[in-house]
Amino acid sequence: MTITISIDCMGGDHGPSVTIPAAISFLKKQADVHLILVGLEDTIRAELRKHHGEGHSRITIKNATEVVTMDDPIEIALRKKKDSSMRVAVELVKDGSANASVSAGNTGALMAVSRYVLKTMAGVDRPAICSVMPNQKGGPTYMLDLGANVDCEPHHLHQFAIMGSVLCSAMEGNPRPTIGLLNVGTEEIKGNDVVKATGLLLKADHERGKLNFHGNVEGNDIFKGTVDVVVCDGFVGNVTLKAIEGLSRFVKSVFTETVLSMAGALLARKSLKKLNPERYNGASLLGLKGLVFKSHGGANAYAFEWALQRAYQAAKYDVQEQLSALIAELMPTSPGQASQA
Amino acid sequence: MTITISIDCMGGDHGPSVTIPAAISFLKKQADVHLILVGLEDTIRAELRKHHGEGHSRITIKNATEVVTMDDPIEIALRKKKDSSMRVAVELVKDGSANASVSAGNTGALMAVSRYVLKTMAGVDRPAICSVMPNQKGGPTYMLDLGANVDCEPHHLHQFAIMGSVLCSAMEGNPRPTIGLLNVGTEEIKGNDVVKATGLLLKADHERGKLNFHGNVEGNDIFKGTVDVVVCDGFVGNVTLKAIEGLSRFVKSVFTETVLSMAGALLARKSLKKLNPERYNGASLLGLKGLVFKSHGGANAYAFEWALQRAYQAAKYDVQEQLSALIAELMPTSPGQASQA
């Protein structure tokens, strides 16, 4: 089966100069992929020519006359720019023309447009943003929510755990991913009321053999690789993610400070690859009736290709179907009520 | 004026083998310091002998027969071990024998014991934990709360901002430190209800010329050095701090992985010093009727000495008096009410 991915070619800090070369390179690696390049047709064609990709049999161009900028407020993206590359790319998932969509555009706009176009999956109250980070065990740690929901109730966090578990299971071929609840300590009595109540919901699922709940984890466990999936609300997740990015940038700046430090980084480059955030680009907007992936806005072509790879895998490994099945099983009644009972 | 510091010599992962050499080294650097070494007298004397510190004219030994371990629950530290080195060290601040106290013991126990013995400062609802982190501008970023308060109301965060501002001002000789409110975006409309309401309180103080409120900041701003003081609740602060520690440890492990990466780290060592967390050891327990500093439990002697240095500076620069004055000015009525009005 061919996997079709629609790409918002205009999104991100760099637009087509990043998305097009990434698309061409990705096609070379995956034979069973078809790409729909969405955006200003002339611009896309010009960029394809530059990279000798014109006329590729597995590329379709879909014209879209507007572009959502990185600074556009959500309302503009949603109500004014109805023919934006971002929206058209997501609509291709909605109408079944694409199995997944990828954009490097602004996160708030992409989430709003995706929710509006695709709607939220049955049994899910709120979609969440899930990304992966490298850990010391050499594997990825899945973490969600990274900013879609700043105020969460226990049943929201419970749903995030289910969604993160399914995503990790499908993407990593791990039948029972361990789930950790991000907290200020590992003991059950730790944390605020929302986190404590969430712990009880997850424990109940664990005892029924439905989820593999490890218990509470702390901030350092993200990088230790203590669990496969780390669950938190979008406020904590967003602040933590950005603090991590800030520290990474600081470390990088230190290594480009002097000739000696640059030489040091060069010597250590093989080991440093482990920390390369570009390899971990591509966050999933989970809980929608369709697959949407968000690339970092500042991604280069190498990093954007990783986001394409994640979207491809999610489609190939039937993340949507598995998600629907587990949500239906764990939340048989209407959203929120089952988990709160 | 001589500054007297009481040291809980038994606290931390390493106890006297770290605290005693750090104390002796610190005395060599600061001529106007007197240290009271608190703990099991025989053990302290033995360690002093080992480091040629016995009979030092600026050392007093204060016997304490019990030790709060790193795993002791708060109730044990508070109700059972009334003659612990941790508690006796804090009592020396209470009775005026010491200007400040330093412990590497467990944070929860130290906060509980300090609150019980010293009580909370008038106008402060809840003490907070404040620490410093390195930033790209080469200065320290003060951040609080780092874990004392997992559920916060706007007036708590407001008080944290005042306390952080005073500490930074006194320690750095910066008359108007900038304050940032940790959030998921810089716009005023961002964040959850508590953060938005806190923003309004801080804005009002700013407009009255009382606090230098910069506005919202994001996780990456901690390391950018966008502001001098970053304010958040203890849940977010604790998770972020531990995530940062986890990533630092991961980076360190990558550099000790192969001979090449070790050589790389060696070449870059001068630049890497900027990132050295040992130089930033020593968190302040702010808002108590007395100065208490917390060293990292795993600190080595070099790092513990930095915690001593911070306690010394806080005492020398009258942090307590400045704190009382600003709290009284900004919160003229009973705790919480003034800020909520």
Side-chain angles (χ1 to χ4, degrees):
Chain A
M1 176 198 149
T2 296
I3 304 291
T4 303
I5 300 173
S6 62
I7 303 178
D8 165 13
C9 289
M10 314 306 290
D13 299 341
H14 314 296
S17 68
V18 154
T19 54
I20 304 289
I24 294 171
S25 168
F26 186 63
L27 283 173
K28 284 181 192 149
K29 286 177 196 152
Q30 299 291 2
D32 58 349
V33 163
H34 187 97
L35 299 178
I36 307 177
L37 308 183
V38 186
L40 301 169
E41 189 164 352
D42 292 348
T43 312
I44 292 175
R45 286 200 188 281
E47 198 67 34
L48 277 174
R49 261 193 306 275
K50 219 188 273 177
H51 298 278
H52 314 292
E54 232 197 348
H56 196 295
S57 63
R58 289 187 283 126
I59 285 182
T60 306
I61 298 173
K62 170 86 181 164
N63 190 44
T65 57
E66 290 169 306
V67 175
V68 174
T69 70
M70 293 310 267
D71 303 321
D72 270 342
I74 288 174
E75 310 83 66
I76 299 292
L78 207 53
R79 303 197 202 291
K80 301 283 175 192
K81 296 186 172 175
K82 295 193 177 170
D83 196 39
S84 72
S85 55
M86 179 188 278
R87 178 148 172 181
V88 173
V90 174
E91 278 168 349
L92 289 169
V93 175
K94 164 82 178 169
D95 71 18
S97 310
N99 302 101
S101 183
V102 178
S103 173
N106 98 54
T107 312
L110 182 62
M111 181 55 105
V113 165
S114 301
R115 279 182 84 152
Y116 180 79
V117 171
L118 295 172
K119 312 298 177 211
T120 304
M121 189 178 257
V124 172
D125 288 294
R126 300 179 181 180
I129 301 171
C130 182
S131 195
V132 290
M133 318 227 180
N135 68 45
Q136 280 184 269
K137 289 188 178 162
T141 301
Y142 284 69
M143 185 167 165
L144 77 168
D145 171 36
L146 296 178
N149 308 282
V150 292
D151 276 307
C152 289
E153 297 297 322
H155 67 279
H156 298 133
L157 293 173
H158 182 208
Q159 292 170 11
F160 299 167
I162 296 169
M163 296 196 288
S165 178
V166 169
L167 185 67
C168 174
S169 167
M171 301 285 269
E172 308 298 328
N174 174 349
R176 274 180 70 71
T178 50
I179 298 164
L181 184 59
L182 196 57
N183 203 338
V184 296
T186 54
E187 307 88 339
E188 268 183 45
I189 54 147
K190 289 280 178 140
N192 55 33
D193 294 341
V194 171
V195 166
K196 278 188 252 185
T198 307
L200 295 178
L201 294 175
L202 293 174
K203 210 175 156 188
D205 281 342
H206 183 83
E207 282 162 4
R208 293 191 289 149
K210 298 300 180 190
L211 286 179
N212 193 2
F213 181 48
H214 166 92
N216 291 328
V217 293
E218 301 184 80
N220 52 328
D221 289 305
I222 300 167
F223 297 103
K224 262 193 195 168
T226 309
V227 291
D228 300 307
V229 182
V230 171
V231 174
C232 59
D233 71 47
F235 193 98
V236 172
N238 184 278
V239 165
T240 305
L241 178 72
K242 286 182 183 156
I244 289 166
E245 287 178 356
L247 178 55
S248 304
R249 229 168 282 137
F250 188 13
V251 172
K252 211 170 170 183
S253 76
V254 161
F255 276 105
T256 51
E257 204 178 48
T258 65
V259 176
L260 273 184
S261 62
M262 278 190 276
L266 202 64
L267 272 184
R269 70 187 178 284
K270 207 175 156 188
S271 299
L272 279 172
K273 259 195 187 164
K274 269 197 181 173
L275 298 169
N276 190 352
E278 292 165 359
R279 286 176 56 197
Y280 296 89
N281 187 38
S284 173
L285 272 49
L286 274 178
L288 299 162
K289 289 183 186 161
L291 290 171
V292 179
F293 279 77
K294 159 81 176 97
S295 159
H296 202 287
N300 59 18
Y302 174 78
F304 193 80
E305 211 183 317
W306 271 102
L308 293 177
Q309 170 68 18
R310 280 184 218 290
Y312 164 78
Q313 280 183 302
K316 199 173 169 85
Y317 301 152
D318 293 328
V319 165
Q320 283 303 102
E321 291 66 24
Q322 293 187 43
L323 208 47
S324 300
L326 194 61
I327 291 269
E329 190 186 341
L330 290 185
M331 307 199 161
T333 59
S334 69
Q337 292 173 351
S339 56
Q340 282 179 317
Chain B
M1 174 199 150
T2 297
I3 304 292
T4 302
I5 299 172
S6 62
I7 303 177
D8 164 14
C9 288
M10 314 306 289
D13 298 342
H14 313 297
S17 68
V18 154
T19 56
I20 304 290
I24 294 169
S25 168
F26 186 62
L27 283 172
K28 284 181 192 151
K29 287 177 197 153
Q30 299 291 1
D32 58 347
V33 162
H34 187 98
L35 299 178
I36 308 178
L37 307 183
V38 186
L40 301 169
E41 189 164 352
D42 293 346
T43 312
I44 292 176
R45 287 201 187 282
E47 198 67 35
L48 276 173
R49 260 193 305 278
K50 221 188 270 177
H51 299 278
H52 315 292
E54 232 196 348
H56 196 296
S57 63
R58 291 187 282 128
I59 284 180
T60 307
I61 297 172
K62 171 85 181 165
N63 190 42
T65 57
E66 289 169 305
V67 176
V68 173
T69 69
M70 294 308 268
D71 302 320
D72 270 343
I74 288 175
E75 310 81 67
I76 298 292
L78 207 55
R79 302 195 204 294
K80 300 282 176 194
K81 296 185 171 175
K82 294 193 177 171
D83 197 39
S84 73
S85 54
M86 179 188 280
R87 177 148 173 180
V88 172
V90 175
E91 278 167 348
L92 290 169
V93 176
K94 163 83 178 167
D95 72 18
S97 310
N99 302 99
S101 183
V102 178
S103 173
N106 99 52
T107 312
L110 181 62
M111 181 54 104
V113 164
S114 300
R115 281 182 82 152
Y116 180 79
V117 171
L118 296 172
K119 313 299 177 210
T120 304
M121 188 178 260
V124 173
D125 288 294
R126 299 178 182 180
I129 302 171
C130 183
S131 195
V132 289
M133 319 226 178
N135 67 45
Q136 280 184 267
K137 289 188 178 161
T141 302
Y142 284 69
M143 186 168 164
L144 77 168
D145 172 35
L146 295 178
N149 310 280
V150 292
D151 276 307
C152 289
E153 297 296 323
H155 68 277
H156 298 132
L157 294 173
H158 183 207
Q159 292 171 10
F160 299 167
I162 296 170
M163 296 196 287
S165 178
V166 168
L167 184 68
C168 175
S169 168
M171 302 286 269
E172 308 298 327
N174 175 348
R176 275 181 70 71
T178 50
I179 298 165
L181 185 59
L182 196 56
N183 204 337
V184 296
T186 54
E187 307 88 338
E188 267 183 44
I189 54 147
K190 289 281 176 139
N192 56 34
D193 295 340
V194 171
V195 167
K196 278 188 252 186
T198 306
L200 295 178
L201 294 174
L202 293 173
K203 212 175 154 186
D205 282 343
H206 182 82
E207 281 162 4
R208 292 190 290 149
K210 298 301 180 189
L211 286 179
N212 194 2
F213 180 49
H214 166 93
N216 291 329
V217 293
E218 301 183 79
N220 51 328
D221 289 305
I222 300 167
F223 297 102
K224 263 194 195 166
T226 309
V227 292
D228 301 308
V229 182
V230 172
V231 175
C232 59
D233 72 46
F235 192 98
V236 172
N238 182 279
V239 165
T240 305
L241 179 72
K242 285 182 183 157
I244 289 166
E245 287 178 355
L247 178 55
S248 305
R249 228 169 282 138
F250 187 13
V251 172
K252 210 171 172 181
S253 77
V254 161
F255 276 104
T256 51
E257 205 177 47
T258 65
V259 175
L260 273 184
S261 63
M262 277 190 277
L266 202 65
L267 271 184
R269 69 186 180 284
K270 208 176 157 188
S271 299
L272 278 173
K273 258 194 187 162
K274 271 196 179 173
L275 298 169
N276 190 351
E278 291 166 358
R279 286 176 57 197
Y280 295 88
N281 187 39
S284 172
L285 272 48
L286 275 177
L288 300 162
K289 288 184 186 160
L291 291 171
V292 180
F293 279 77
K294 159 80 178 99
S295 158
H296 202 288
N300 59 19
Y302 173 77
F304 194 79
E305 211 183 316
W306 270 103
L308 294 176
Q309 171 67 18
R310 280 184 218 292
Y312 163 79
Q313 280 183 300
K316 197 171 171 85
Y317 300 152
D318 293 329
V319 165
Q320 283 303 103
E321 291 66 24
Q322 293 187 44
L323 209 46
S324 299
L326 193 62
I327 291 270
E329 192 186 340
L330 289 185
M331 305 197 164
T333 58
S334 69
Q337 291 172 350
S339 56
Q340 282 179 316

Short mmCIF file of all heavy atoms in Angstrom, two decimals, chain B residues 6-8 38 84-98 100-103 109-119 285 288-293:
data_model
loop_
_atom_site.label_atom_id
_atom_site.label_comp_id
_atom_site.label_asym_id
_atom_site.label_seq_id
_atom_site.Cartn_x
_atom_site.Cartn_y
_atom_site.Cartn_z
N SER B 6 25.94 28.55 60.50
CA SER B 6 25.86 27.20 61.08
C SER B 6 25.73 26.19 59.95
O SER B 6 24.95 26.39 59.01
CB SER B 6 24.67 27.09 62.03
OG SER B 6 23.45 27.31 61.34
N ILE B 7 26.52 25.13 60.03
CA ILE B 7 26.52 24.11 58.97
C ILE B 7 26.00 22.78 59.51
O ILE B 7 26.52 22.27 60.51
CB ILE B 7 27.94 23.91 58.39
CG1 ILE B 7 28.50 25.24 57.87
CG2 ILE B 7 27.93 22.86 57.29
CD1 ILE B 7 29.93 25.14 57.35
N ASP B 8 24.99 22.25 58.84
CA ASP B 8 24.55 20.88 59.13
C ASP B 8 25.58 19.96 58.49
O ASP B 8 25.52 19.66 57.30
CB ASP B 8 23.16 20.67 58.52
CG ASP B 8 22.78 19.20 58.43
OD1 ASP B 8 23.43 18.37 59.07
OD2 ASP B 8 21.80 18.90 57.71
N VAL B 38 27.83 21.70 63.02
CA VAL B 38 26.83 20.98 63.81
C VAL B 38 26.76 19.52 63.39
O VAL B 38 26.68 19.21 62.19
CB VAL B 38 25.44 21.63 63.64
CG1 VAL B 38 24.42 20.99 64.58
CG2 VAL B 38 25.50 23.14 63.86
N SER B 84 18.55 16.60 65.79
CA SER B 84 19.28 16.35 64.55
C SER B 84 20.19 17.53 64.23
O SER B 84 19.93 18.67 64.64
CB SER B 84 18.30 16.16 63.38
OG SER B 84 17.71 17.40 63.04
N SER B 85 21.25 17.25 63.50
CA SER B 85 22.20 18.31 63.10
C SER B 85 21.47 19.37 62.27
O SER B 85 21.74 20.56 62.36
CB SER B 85 23.36 17.72 62.30
OG SER B 85 22.86 16.96 61.21
N MET B 86 20.51 18.92 61.44
CA MET B 86 19.76 19.85 60.61
C MET B 86 18.98 20.83 61.48
O MET B 86 19.06 22.05 61.32
CB MET B 86 18.78 19.05 59.73
CG MET B 86 17.91 19.92 58.83
SD MET B 86 16.64 18.92 58.00
CE MET B 86 17.58 18.21 56.64
N ARG B 87 18.26 20.29 62.45
CA ARG B 87 17.40 21.12 63.30
C ARG B 87 18.23 22.05 64.21
O ARG B 87 17.91 23.23 64.35
CB ARG B 87 16.50 20.24 64.15
CG ARG B 87 15.64 21.04 65.09
CD ARG B 87 14.35 20.35 65.31
NE ARG B 87 13.55 20.98 66.33
CZ ARG B 87 12.36 20.53 66.69
NH1 ARG B 87 11.87 19.46 66.11
NH2 ARG B 87 11.64 21.14 67.61
N VAL B 88 19.28 21.48 64.79
CA VAL B 88 20.11 22.29 65.69
C VAL B 88 20.76 23.45 64.92
O VAL B 88 20.84 24.57 65.40
CB VAL B 88 21.17 21.41 66.39
CG1 VAL B 88 22.16 22.26 67.18
CG2 VAL B 88 20.49 20.40 67.32
N ALA B 89 21.18 23.17 63.68
CA ALA B 89 21.80 24.22 62.86
C ALA B 89 20.81 25.36 62.60
O ALA B 89 21.16 26.55 62.68
CB ALA B 89 22.29 23.64 61.53
N VAL B 90 19.56 25.01 62.33
CA VAL B 90 18.54 26.03 62.08
C VAL B 90 18.20 26.77 63.38
O VAL B 90 17.99 27.99 63.38
CB VAL B 90 17.27 25.41 61.43
CG1 VAL B 90 16.15 26.44 61.29
CG2 VAL B 90 17.60 24.81 60.07
N GLU B 91 18.18 26.03 64.51
CA GLU B 91 17.89 26.67 65.81
C GLU B 91 18.95 27.74 66.15
O GLU B 91 18.65 28.72 66.84
CB GLU B 91 17.81 25.63 66.92
CG GLU B 91 16.42 24.96 66.95
CD GLU B 91 16.36 23.69 67.80
OE1 GLU B 91 17.44 23.19 68.20
OE2 GLU B 91 15.23 23.19 68.04
N LEU B 92 20.16 27.54 65.67
CA LEU B 92 21.21 28.53 65.92
C LEU B 92 20.91 29.85 65.21
O LEU B 92 21.33 30.92 65.66
CB LEU B 92 22.58 27.98 65.49
CG LEU B 92 23.12 26.84 66.37
CD1 LEU B 92 24.33 26.18 65.70
CD2 LEU B 92 23.50 27.35 67.75
N VAL B 93 20.19 29.77 64.10
CA VAL B 93 19.75 30.99 63.41
C VAL B 93 18.62 31.63 64.22
O VAL B 93 18.60 32.84 64.47
CB VAL B 93 19.27 30.69 61.97
CG1 VAL B 93 18.71 31.94 61.29
CG2 VAL B 93 20.42 30.11 61.14
N LYS B 94 17.72 30.79 64.68
CA LYS B 94 16.56 31.25 65.45
C LYS B 94 17.01 32.02 66.71
O LYS B 94 16.49 33.11 67.00
CB LYS B 94 15.73 30.02 65.85
CG LYS B 94 14.72 30.23 66.95
CD LYS B 94 13.44 30.83 66.42
CE LYS B 94 12.42 30.97 67.54
NZ LYS B 94 11.31 31.82 67.15
N ASP B 95 17.99 31.45 67.44
CA ASP B 95 18.38 32.10 68.71
C ASP B 95 19.43 33.20 68.52
O ASP B 95 19.95 33.75 69.49
CB ASP B 95 18.79 31.06 69.75
CG ASP B 95 20.13 30.41 69.45
OD1 ASP B 95 20.92 30.94 68.64
OD2 ASP B 95 20.41 29.34 70.02
N GLY B 96 19.75 33.49 67.26
CA GLY B 96 20.65 34.60 66.99
C GLY B 96 22.14 34.25 67.04
O GLY B 96 22.99 35.12 66.82
N SER B 97 22.46 33.00 67.27
CA SER B 97 23.87 32.60 67.30
C SER B 97 24.49 32.57 65.90
O SER B 97 25.71 32.70 65.76
CB SER B 97 24.03 31.21 67.93
OG SER B 97 23.35 31.14 69.15
N ALA B 98 23.66 32.35 64.89
CA ALA B 98 24.17 32.32 63.51
C ALA B 98 23.35 33.25 62.63
O ALA B 98 22.16 33.47 62.88
CB ALA B 98 24.12 30.89 62.96
N ALA B 100 23.09 32.69 59.32
CA ALA B 100 22.50 31.87 58.27
C ALA B 100 22.89 30.42 58.52
O ALA B 100 23.86 30.15 59.25
CB ALA B 100 23.01 32.31 56.89
N SER B 101 22.13 29.51 57.92
CA SER B 101 22.42 28.09 58.08
C SER B 101 22.46 27.43 56.71
O SER B 101 21.74 27.83 55.80
CB SER B 101 21.34 27.45 58.94
OG SER B 101 21.64 26.10 59.17
N VAL B 102 23.33 26.40 56.59
CA VAL B 102 23.44 25.68 55.31
C VAL B 102 23.34 24.18 55.57
O VAL B 102 23.97 23.66 56.49
CB VAL B 102 24.79 25.98 54.62
CG1 VAL B 102 24.91 25.18 53.30
CG2 VAL B 102 24.94 27.47 54.34
N SER B 103 22.53 23.50 54.74
CA SER B 103 22.40 22.05 54.85
C SER B 103 22.32 21.43 53.47
O SER B 103 21.75 22.01 52.55
CB SER B 103 21.13 21.70 55.64
OG SER B 103 20.90 20.31 55.61
N ALA B 109 12.48 17.86 54.30
CA ALA B 109 12.74 17.91 55.73
C ALA B 109 13.30 19.26 56.14
O ALA B 109 12.88 19.86 57.14
CB ALA B 109 13.72 16.79 56.11
N LEU B 110 14.23 19.79 55.34
CA LEU B 110 14.86 21.08 55.68
C LEU B 110 13.82 22.20 55.66
O LEU B 110 13.81 23.06 56.54
CB LEU B 110 16.01 21.39 54.71
CG LEU B 110 16.75 22.69 54.99
CD1 LEU B 110 17.43 22.66 56.37
CD2 LEU B 110 17.80 22.98 53.91
N MET B 111 12.95 22.18 54.66
CA MET B 111 11.91 23.21 54.59
C MET B 111 10.96 23.08 55.78
O MET B 111 10.61 24.07 56.42
CB MET B 111 11.15 23.08 53.26
CG MET B 111 10.06 24.12 53.05
SD MET B 111 10.59 25.86 53.22
CE MET B 111 10.65 26.37 51.49
N ALA B 112 10.54 21.86 56.11
CA ALA B 112 9.60 21.65 57.22
C ALA B 112 10.22 22.07 58.55
O ALA B 112 9.60 22.78 59.35
CB ALA B 112 9.18 20.18 57.26
N VAL B 113 11.46 21.65 58.77
CA VAL B 113 12.15 21.99 60.02
C VAL B 113 12.36 23.51 60.10
O VAL B 113 12.12 24.12 61.15
CB VAL B 113 13.51 21.24 60.10
CG1 VAL B 113 14.42 21.84 61.15
CG2 VAL B 113 13.27 19.76 60.37
N SER B 114 12.73 24.12 58.99
CA SER B 114 12.99 25.57 58.99
C SER B 114 11.71 26.35 59.24
O SER B 114 11.70 27.34 59.98
CB SER B 114 13.60 26.00 57.65
OG SER B 114 14.81 25.31 57.43
N ARG B 115 10.61 25.91 58.62
CA ARG B 115 9.33 26.58 58.84
C ARG B 115 8.90 26.44 60.29
O ARG B 115 8.39 27.38 60.89
CB ARG B 115 8.23 25.96 57.96
CG ARG B 115 8.26 26.43 56.54
CD ARG B 115 7.14 25.81 55.74
NE ARG B 115 5.89 26.54 55.96
CZ ARG B 115 4.91 26.62 55.06
NH1 ARG B 115 5.03 26.02 53.90
NH2 ARG B 115 3.82 27.29 55.32
N TYR B 116 9.12 25.25 60.84
CA TYR B 116 8.69 24.99 62.23
C TYR B 116 9.53 25.81 63.21
O TYR B 116 9.00 26.45 64.11
CB TYR B 116 8.82 23.49 62.53
CG TYR B 116 8.41 23.17 63.94
CD1 TYR B 116 7.06 23.06 64.28
CD2 TYR B 116 9.37 22.99 64.94
CE1 TYR B 116 6.67 22.79 65.57
CE2 TYR B 116 8.98 22.72 66.25
CZ TYR B 116 7.63 22.62 66.56
OH TYR B 116 7.26 22.36 67.85
N VAL B 117 10.81 25.81 63.00
CA VAL B 117 11.72 26.47 63.96
C VAL B 117 11.69 28.00 63.77
O VAL B 117 11.55 28.75 64.74
CB VAL B 117 13.17 25.95 63.80
CG1 VAL B 117 14.15 26.78 64.61
CG2 VAL B 117 13.24 24.48 64.20
N LEU B 118 11.80 28.45 62.54
CA LEU B 118 11.96 29.91 62.31
C LEU B 118 10.63 30.63 62.12
O LEU B 118 10.54 31.83 62.38
CB LEU B 118 12.83 30.15 61.06
CG LEU B 118 14.28 29.68 61.12
CD1 LEU B 118 14.93 29.82 59.76
CD2 LEU B 118 15.06 30.49 62.17
N LYS B 119 9.63 29.92 61.64
CA LYS B 119 8.34 30.50 61.25
C LYS B 119 8.48 31.34 59.97
O LYS B 119 9.58 31.74 59.59
CB LYS B 119 7.69 31.37 62.36
CG LYS B 119 7.67 30.77 63.75
CD LYS B 119 6.87 29.47 63.82
CE LYS B 119 6.96 28.88 65.24
NZ LYS B 119 6.85 27.41 65.25
N LEU B 285 16.05 29.20 50.91
CA LEU B 285 14.68 28.99 51.39
C LEU B 285 14.17 30.37 51.80
O LEU B 285 14.44 30.85 52.91
CB LEU B 285 14.67 28.02 52.58
CG LEU B 285 14.57 26.53 52.23
CD1 LEU B 285 15.53 26.09 51.17
CD2 LEU B 285 14.73 25.66 53.48
N LEU B 288 11.33 32.93 55.23
CA LEU B 288 11.37 32.51 56.64
C LEU B 288 11.95 33.64 57.48
O LEU B 288 12.61 34.54 56.96
CB LEU B 288 12.24 31.27 56.78
CG LEU B 288 11.78 30.04 55.99
CD1 LEU B 288 12.93 29.05 55.86
CD2 LEU B 288 10.58 29.41 56.68
N LYS B 289 11.75 33.56 58.80
CA LYS B 289 12.36 34.56 59.68
C LYS B 289 13.80 34.18 59.97
O LYS B 289 14.20 33.99 61.14
CB LYS B 289 11.57 34.64 61.00
CG LYS B 289 10.19 35.31 60.85
CD LYS B 289 9.53 35.44 62.20
CE LYS B 289 8.13 35.96 62.07
NZ LYS B 289 7.32 35.65 63.27
N GLY B 290 14.59 34.05 58.94
CA GLY B 290 15.99 33.66 59.09
C GLY B 290 16.48 33.07 57.78
O GLY B 290 15.67 32.61 56.96
N LEU B 291 17.79 33.11 57.57
CA LEU B 291 18.36 32.64 56.30
C LEU B 291 18.74 31.17 56.36
O LEU B 291 19.54 30.76 57.20
CB LEU B 291 19.60 33.46 55.96
CG LEU B 291 19.39 34.93 55.57
CD1 LEU B 291 20.73 35.66 55.49
CD2 LEU B 291 18.63 35.04 54.24
N VAL B 292 18.19 30.39 55.44
CA VAL B 292 18.56 28.98 55.34
C VAL B 292 18.89 28.69 53.89
O VAL B 292 18.14 29.08 52.98
CB VAL B 292 17.41 28.06 55.81
CG1 VAL B 292 17.82 26.60 55.69
CG2 VAL B 292 17.02 28.38 57.25
N PHE B 293 20.01 28.02 53.66
CA PHE B 293 20.40 27.64 52.31
C PHE B 293 20.51 26.13 52.19
O PHE B 293 20.96 25.46 53.11
CB PHE B 293 21.72 28.31 51.91
CG PHE B 293 21.50 29.73 51.45
CD1 PHE B 293 21.27 30.75 52.38
CD2 PHE B 293 21.49 30.06 50.10
CE1 PHE B 293 21.02 32.05 51.97
CE2 PHE B 293 21.25 31.36 49.68
CZ PHE B 293 21.02 32.36 50.61
#
